[in-house]
């Protein structure tokens, strides 16, 4: 008797689960929503904070509902753009190249910050003995995300040109995942040196989030093209035009726009094109990150 | 001094030889795993971990953060519940196909058997990492990853449970012309239902722990917050998240224990199949499963569209053929060896720690310690041990050892409690000291059980060791994370195959060892 009741319980459970799954299938509503994401080069909470006023501005400019999805994985943003799960994305130079490849060249970069045309990376350390790139041999070292332009690809490329192979010459390589995390790694001594993008470094210095008496920059890369806003190519051309104009219209003289630009750490947005990122693509092949 | 006298220990020489042989075998493993206990006391490392732990106080209690935390906690529960519901739906038909139960000639279905092995052999974190790419951002990937891995595990265990119960009633039914489903329904399920339900509830508890880990690859929930806090070395936030997480695990543990005890209650004598308990339980189950799916807002509809079918098949196709170049294979082989070393050394260290923690009395503080150790998943321990001993495999060994010691300590304690006390009592009455009573009275009786538990954990740990590299703790994981990040699917494919092969090999070795010990 005992087990017969329990058998019923088990069967009912099975039916209940089957039913629940069927009931729970949500319908997908897809009217006039602009889905936006960004590579998580900083903490997702920080990205959301930075995006809020820009999102409102884009809603006003396009008349669409703007939904921002934060993620923790760079590659997920690229893949989501390729599988059309998002419409607009803030990409790094290298993630743009990946997106271009994965969408068979259809992804379109629409705007970049003035600063992105000559972007640099900073090598940082808390170890007084490290004074140049060649001192890094045999040390532990942190990149940002493997797919980061300024936190992985370009530094790797310039390290290679300086005769350093990260896999062979470093004692241990860590991927902190984000630029601010790299600073935390170095400041805490989890790694002996690291590299991050100049813009995030400057922000952390300005807001005193890093103790510059302890952590210092000992090398800077030559400039290269970095971040942009990219749309997927099969979006309505009228909408692409609206979005592009919206970015280019942002005017530092307008106080409301000034706040948006300040949060994006941009003097202003300028047009950009695919060809700007050819140099990064070459660097990626030569550093072995593209095959 | 005690053991030095061969008169007192007739087996001394044999044991010493065995110990030496074990040490000789272990030596290369210890080298590979870079076991350097000194690193724990290295001044630099002590400051790093000390500063991090000091930042635990005060825990973060800002209202904005608590808001995120509350939402993430609910999301974690929802991922675990929805994932297990999915696993259950997969496991029932697969278990039915795979099981030899209720068949007149037990034919093992090789196709579904190997499907199950693949589902189980690839760690859920790897599934999640891959599925995040296919199904986009958010918890859908976590739910599906749990559904697939746990579906495989449940199906295997369901099949085994059904095979292990008395087959006579089912055989009688079949010989009287009943079909296999009916024979199983009326001949086998009644005997097995309690064990089946109990295991399912236990898996739900595991799913909560696993869903936290899934957040580390962006599948939402508490893990995503924890990953952020750990990366930013934000001790205050980490402390609050860990605290909430442990509360959740303890609550799930208590709840699942209560549910399993409830299964022991004899049913009331009444004609209605639904009492208040089973009726209420069913309602709660239905509500929580549908609420979970609702909250996660998973677009399953989109999963079955032609477009996503094409993109999924393209995605899967890009993993073939795997990169089998000599250079890459050499790298992967090194990763395999390191993963193996981490799993073996970590499990052995856990066995020693677990044994030490299983013995002292009174039990209460040690039970709490064991529960705490085991409620924190390996990957979370690894983020902490990486700070304590630096990046590399030793951090992985410690992370495995800490979590597993919690699990094994508890199991060892139960094994000792179940060992017949006669031998120990006889020795004690003969005047033997406590150590000798334990070594010669209690230990031999419990040893087979202890060894079986340890080997069983080793099978789990090899899967874990394979992914610890995600947080810099050595092994194959870092290769996989790196290659997947860069869309080098041919290389990632080799790593996943290596993980699968490794876990299958360890399962075989462990099963072989257990048979040999019997």
């Amino acid at each position: 008797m005992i087990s017969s009741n329990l058998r019923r319980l088990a069967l009912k459970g099975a039916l209940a689960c089957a039913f629940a799954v069927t009931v729970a299938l949500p319908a997908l509503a897809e009217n006039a929503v602009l889905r936006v994401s960004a590579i998580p080069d900083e903490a997702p909470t920080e990205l959301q904070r930075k995006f809020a006023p820009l999102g409102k501005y884009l809603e006003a400019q396009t008349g669409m509902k703007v939904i921002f999805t934060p993620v923790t994985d760079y590659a997920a943003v690229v893949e989501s753009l390729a599988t059309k799960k998002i419409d607009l994305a803030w990409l790094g130079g290298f993630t743009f190249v990946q997106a271009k490849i994965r969408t068979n060249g259809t992804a379109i970069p629409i705007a970049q910050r003035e600063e992105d045309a000559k972007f640099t990376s900073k090598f940082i350390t808390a170890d007084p003995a490290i004074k140049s790139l060649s001192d890094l041999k045999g040390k532990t070292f942190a990149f940002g995300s493997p797919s980061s332009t300024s936190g992985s690809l370009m530094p790797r490329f310039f390290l290679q040109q300086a005769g350093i192979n990260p896999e062979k010459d470093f004692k241990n390589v860590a991927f902190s995942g984000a630029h601010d995390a790299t600073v935390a790694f170095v400041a805490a001594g989890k790694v002996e040196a690291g590299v991050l993008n100049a813009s995030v470094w400057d922000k952390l210095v300005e807001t005193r989030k890093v103790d510059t008496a302890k952590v210092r920059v000992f090398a800077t890369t030559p400039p290269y093209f970095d971040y942009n806003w990219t749309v997927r190519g099969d979006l309505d051309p009228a909408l692409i035009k609206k979005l592009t104009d919206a970015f280019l219209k942002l005017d530092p003289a307008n106080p409301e726009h000034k706040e948006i630009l300040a949060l994006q750490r941009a003097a202003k947005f300028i047009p950009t094109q695919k060809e700007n990122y050819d140099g990064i693509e070459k660097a990626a092949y030569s550093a072995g990150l593209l095959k | 001094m005690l053991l030095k006298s061969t008169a007192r220990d007739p087996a001394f020489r044999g044991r010493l030889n065995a110990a030496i042989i074990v040490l000789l075998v272990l030596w290369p493993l210890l080298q590979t795993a870079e076991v350097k206990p000194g690193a724990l006391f290295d001044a630099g490392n002590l400051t790093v971990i000390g500063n991090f732990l000091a930042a635990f106080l005060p825990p973060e209690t800002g209202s904005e953060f608590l808001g995120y935390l509350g939402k993430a906690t609910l999301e974690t529960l929802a991922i675990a519940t929805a994932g297990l519901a999915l696993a259950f739906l997969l496991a029932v038909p697969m278990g039915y196909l795979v099981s030899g139960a209720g068949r007149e000639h037990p034919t093992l279905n090789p196709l579904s058997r190997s499907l199950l092995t693949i589902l189980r052999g690839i760690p859920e974190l790897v599934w999640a990492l891959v599925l995040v790419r296919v199904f986009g951002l958010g918890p859908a990937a976590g739910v599906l990853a749990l559904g697939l891995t746990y579906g495989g595990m449940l199906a295997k265990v369901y099949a085994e449970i059904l095979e292990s119960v008395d087959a006579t009633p089912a055989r009688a039914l079949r010989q009287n012309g009943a079909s296999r489903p009916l024979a199983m329904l009326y001949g086998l399920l009644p005997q097995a239902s309690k064990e089946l339900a109990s295991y399912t509830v236990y898996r739900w508890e595991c799913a909560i722990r696993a869903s936290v880990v899934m957040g580390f690859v962006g599948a939402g929930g508490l893990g995503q917050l924890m990953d952020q806090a750990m990366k930013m070395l934000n001790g205050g936030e980490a402390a609050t998240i860990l605290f909430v997480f442990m509360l959740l695990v303890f609550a799930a543990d208590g709840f699942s224990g209560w549910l399993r005890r409830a299964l022991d209650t004899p049913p009331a004598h009444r004609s209605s199949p639904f009492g208040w308990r089973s009726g209420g339980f069913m309602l709660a189950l239905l509500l929580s499963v549908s609420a979970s799916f609702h909250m996660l807002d998973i677009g399953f509809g989109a999963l079955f569209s032609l477009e996503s079918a094409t993109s999924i098949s393209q995605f899967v196709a890009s993993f073939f053929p795997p990169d089998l170049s000599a250079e890459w294979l050499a790298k992967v082989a090194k990763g395999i060896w390191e993963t193996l070393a981490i799993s073996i050394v970590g499990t052995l260290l856990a066995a020693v720690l677990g044994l030490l923690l299983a013995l002292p009395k009174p039990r209460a503080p040690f039970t709490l310690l064991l529960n705490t150790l085991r409620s924190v998943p390996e990957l979370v321990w690894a983020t902490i041990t990486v700070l304590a001993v630096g990046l590399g495999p030793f951090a992985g060994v410690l992370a495995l050892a800490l979590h597993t010691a919690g699990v094994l300590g508890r199991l060892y304690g139960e094994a000792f409690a179940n060992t017949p006390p006669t031998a120990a009592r006889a020795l004690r009455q003969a005047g033997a000291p406590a150590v000798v009573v334990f070594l010669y009275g209690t230990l031999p009786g419990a040893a087979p059980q202890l060894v079986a538990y340890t080997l069983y954990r080793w099978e789990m740990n090899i899967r874990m060791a394979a992914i610890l590299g995600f947080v810099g703790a050595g092994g194959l994981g870092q290769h996989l994370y790196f290659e997947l990040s860069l869309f080098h699917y041919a290389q990632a494919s080799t790593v996943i195959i290596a993980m699968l092969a490794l876990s299958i090999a360890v399962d075989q070795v462990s099963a072989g060892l257990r048979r040999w010990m019997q």
Side-chain angles (χ1 to χ4, degrees), chain B residues 498-512:
Chain B
M499 286 181 176
L500 189 60
L502 196 54
S503 74
I504 294 173
V506 166
D507 282 3
Q508 296 299 329
V509 171
S510 159

Side-chain angles (χ1 to χ4, degrees), chain B residues 104 195 247 276 281 347 361 397 495:
Chain B
E104 278 173 60
E195 223 180 317
L247 273 187
W276 65 269
F281 176 71
T347 310
K361 287 181 179 123
V397 167
V495 181

Side-chain angles (χ1 to χ4, degrees), chain B residues 19-348:
Chain B
I20 290 173
I21 291 171
V22 166
L23 275 180
L24 280 179
V25 174
L26 263 182
W27 187 246
L29 291 171
L30 289 172
Q31 287 298 310
T32 309
E34 291 177 19
V35 175
K36 292 187 205 100
L40 275 170
F41 306 101
D42 175 82
N45 287 335
L46 278 179
T47 0
V48 175
I49 186 79
N51 287 341
F52 180 63
L53 292 181
F56 269 43
L57 291 172
E60 172 73 43
T61 49
S63 60
E64 193 194 355
F65 175 71
L66 289 186
Y68 283 127
L69 192 64
K71 188 171 161 279
T73 311
L74 278 181
E75 204 167 81
T76 294
L77 270 175
I79 293 176
T81 310
L84 202 72
L86 201 64
F88 183 78
L89 286 184
L90 283 175
V92 169
M94 286 199 296
Y96 174 80
L97 287 176
V98 163
S99 183
R103 293 185 201 271
E104 278 173 60
H105 307 288
T107 44
L108 299 179
N109 184 331
L111 201 71
S112 36
R113 287 252 162 190
S114 37
L115 179 68
L116 285 194
T117 313
I118 292 175
L119 287 180
R120 280 183 303 121
I122 299 177
E124 57 261 43
L125 195 62
V126 174
W127 280 118
L129 195 66
V130 169
L131 292 169
V132 155
R133 302 296 154 71
V134 186
F135 299 118
L137 323 171
V143 170
L144 281 166
L146 269 182
L148 289 176
T149 344
Y150 280 42
M153 283 185 212
L154 283 180
K156 177 176 180 252
V157 174
Y158 286 173
E160 279 170 4
I161 291 177
L162 287 173
E163 281 164 17
S164 69
V165 298
D166 180 14
T168 334
R171 205 175 300 135
L173 282 168
R174 291 222 61 176
Q175 279 161 358
N176 281 302
S179 65
R180 181 169 175 243
L182 277 180
M184 286 175 80
L185 205 56
Y186 291 95
L188 297 178
L189 266 187
Q191 313 172 58
S193 58
K194 197 186 130 195
E195 223 180 317
L196 293 175
S198 164
Y199 187 77
T200 313
V201 174
Y202 163 71
R203 269 292 151 197
W204 174 72
E205 191 194 318
C206 299
I208 289 184
R209 269 194 294 268
S211 65
V212 165
V213 168
M214 232 82 92
F216 275 67
V217 295
L222 276 177
Q224 198 152 330
L225 277 189
M226 178 118 60
D227 185 36
Q228 280 313 313
M230 291 289 190
K231 262 184 196 157
M232 298 306 299
L233 302 169
N234 188 333
E237 283 187 9
T240 313
I241 301 169
L242 267 178
F243 180 72
V244 167
F245 174 57
M246 277 154 107
L247 273 187
L248 193 65
V249 171
F250 282 144
D253 198 14
F255 179 65
S256 102
W258 175 80
L259 269 182
R260 277 184 274 179
R261 273 193 304 280
L263 288 170
D264 286 327
T265 323
H269 290 283
R270 72 171 94 72
S271 50
S272 151
F274 284 100
W276 65 269
R277 197 202 294 272
S278 60
F281 176 71
M282 278 310 127
L283 194 67
L285 183 67
L286 187 72
L287 282 178
S288 53
V289 171
S290 67
S292 299
F293 276 99
H294 187 76
M295 177 186 175
L296 299 174
D297 194 18
I298 300 171
F300 277 124
L303 288 191
F304 300 110
S305 71
L306 186 66
E307 199 183 326
S308 68
T310 351
S311 86
I312 292 171
S313 51
Q314 270 173 6
F315 180 77
V316 174
S318 61
F319 279 84
F320 295 96
D323 180 355
L324 297 177
S325 66
E327 192 195 355
W328 182 240
L329 282 182
K331 236 177 167 176
V332 172
K334 198 170 154 264
I336 292 180
W337 175 239
E338 196 171 286
T339 305
L340 193 65
I342 294 174
S343 76
I344 293 178
V345 178
T347 310
L348 284 177

Side-chain angles (χ1 to χ4, degrees), chain B residues 454-502:
Chain B
T454 314
L455 285 172
Y456 163 71
R457 278 314 299 189
W458 180 41
E459 291 173 30
M460 315 227 100
N461 283 346
I462 188 73
R463 293 172 170 83
M464 262 301 148
I467 56 176
L468 288 172
F470 282 53
V471 293
L476 281 170
Q478 191 168 28
H479 290 316
L480 186 67
Y481 172 61
F482 187 74
E483 301 302 333
L484 275 180
S485 290
L486 297 172
F487 304 101
H488 295 166
Y489 292 140
Q491 283 75 21
S493 170
T494 319
V495 181
I496 294 178
I497 292 172
M499 286 181 176
L500 189 60
L502 196 54

